[in-house]
Amino acid sequence: MDARDMGQDLEKVLFTKEQIDEKLTELAARIDDYYGNRSILVVGVLRGAVMVVADLVRKIHAPVAMDWMAVSSYGSGTKSSGVVRILKDLDTDVTDREVLIVEDIIDSGLTLSWLLANLQSRGAKSVDILALLRKPDAAKVDVPVKYVGFEIPNKFVVGYGLDYAEKYRNLRGVGVLAPHVYQ
Ligand code: IMP
Ligand code: MG
């Protein structure tokens, strides 16, 4: 799906697929610098991070294992509900593993601070976080996000995995959803 397929539902394109790709190349280089040839367990947060994980891991030279968690903090609206639930847990034992959580976006920071504590408590050797996008509110919580793709304004965005009510995940790039869609 391209911007023109969304018509009036898309207010503005923020990042094209090509810009995202360039950014992921930069982040993958930093990841390789840090891990060297040690193996990484990439934990993708379903469903929004699917595209980020798929494109990122292919740029990493170190050995990568992939697993997935699904958590819910939102329901189908545009505001965090404040409650995190595990909808799908990892299949992998993270004991002594070097874990890299990959998330599409950090907004209130609630989801990631909870996930970080959760994986640390299972005995991972290290847990780091990569988020493709970061909204300003994330600065208010103390979540150490090591790798950030882009800082974005406080608008509801869709595309490249991010949805509104399960729509627009297949938009190639990332854009601002027009408020008339959810108001
Ligand atoms: P947080 O817990 O408030 O940081 O919310 C993080 C989660 O909320 C992300 O994993 C997304 O699923 C969702 N989310 C936050 N902002 C947006 C947005 O602008 N568009 C789509 N999903 C969002
Ligand atoms: Mg998410």
Side-chain angles (χ1 to χ4, degrees):
M1 173 184 262
D2 291 307
R4 66 170 180 281
D5 297 310
M6 282 187 63
Q8 298 298 308
D9 291 355
L10 189 69
E11 187 175 284
K12 185 179 183 223
V13 174
L14 285 183
F15 309 107
T16 64
K17 172 71 171 72
E18 290 67 30
Q19 289 173 310
I20 295 168
D21 209 66
E22 259 178 54
K23 184 59 75 176
L24 292 180
T25 302
E26 275 172 45
L27 296 179
R30 285 177 52 201
I31 289 167
D32 273 326
D33 276 350
Y34 179 74
Y35 293 97
N37 201 36
R38 302 198 305 279
S39 57
I40 310 165
L41 175 62
V42 167
V43 171
V45 184
L46 294 172
R47 291 182 281 258
V50 166
M51 316 313 187
V52 191
V53 170
D55 286 339
L56 176 80
V57 295
R58 282 176 286 181
K59 296 174 183 289
I60 294 174
H61 295 274
V64 167
M66 269 189 270
D67 204 345
W68 304 90
M69 274 183 86
V71 295
S72 157
S73 61
Y74 258 59
S76 62
T78 60
K79 280 277 179 301
S80 195
S81 69
V83 181
V84 179
R85 286 185 299 143
I86 296 186
L87 304 177
K88 185 225 169 284
D89 206 347
L90 295 174
D91 295 320
T92 313
D93 179 4
V94 302
T95 311
D96 294 330
R97 300 297 300 268
E98 295 195 84
V99 176
L100 178 63
I101 301 174
V102 176
E103 188 40 317
D104 49 5
I105 188 165
I106 174 168
D107 180 9
S108 70
L110 192 87
T111 308
L112 279 173
S113 65
W114 185 89
L115 258 183
L116 180 66
N118 183 280
L119 295 186
Q120 280 168 341
S121 75
R122 300 186 199 192
K125 182 175 175 188
S126 64
V127 186
D128 281 320
I129 296 174
L130 179 150
L132 179 68
L133 307 171
R134 180 160 67 186
K135 288 190 184 176
D137 280 350
K140 296 181 199 160
V141 292
D142 191 20
V143 190
V145 185
K146 187 163 181 182
Y147 308 97
V148 180
F150 303 100
E151 306 284 348
I152 64 165
N154 203 3
K155 300 257 171 92
F156 198 82
V157 297
V158 295
Y160 196 72
L162 292 139
D163 73 307
Y164 171 69
E166 291 307 320
K167 286 173 74 182
Y168 316 118
R169 289 194 199 274
N170 59 326
L171 178 67
R172 274 171 59 79
V174 170
V176 177
L177 186 65
H180 74 81
V181 178
Y182 53 86
Q183 269 164 8

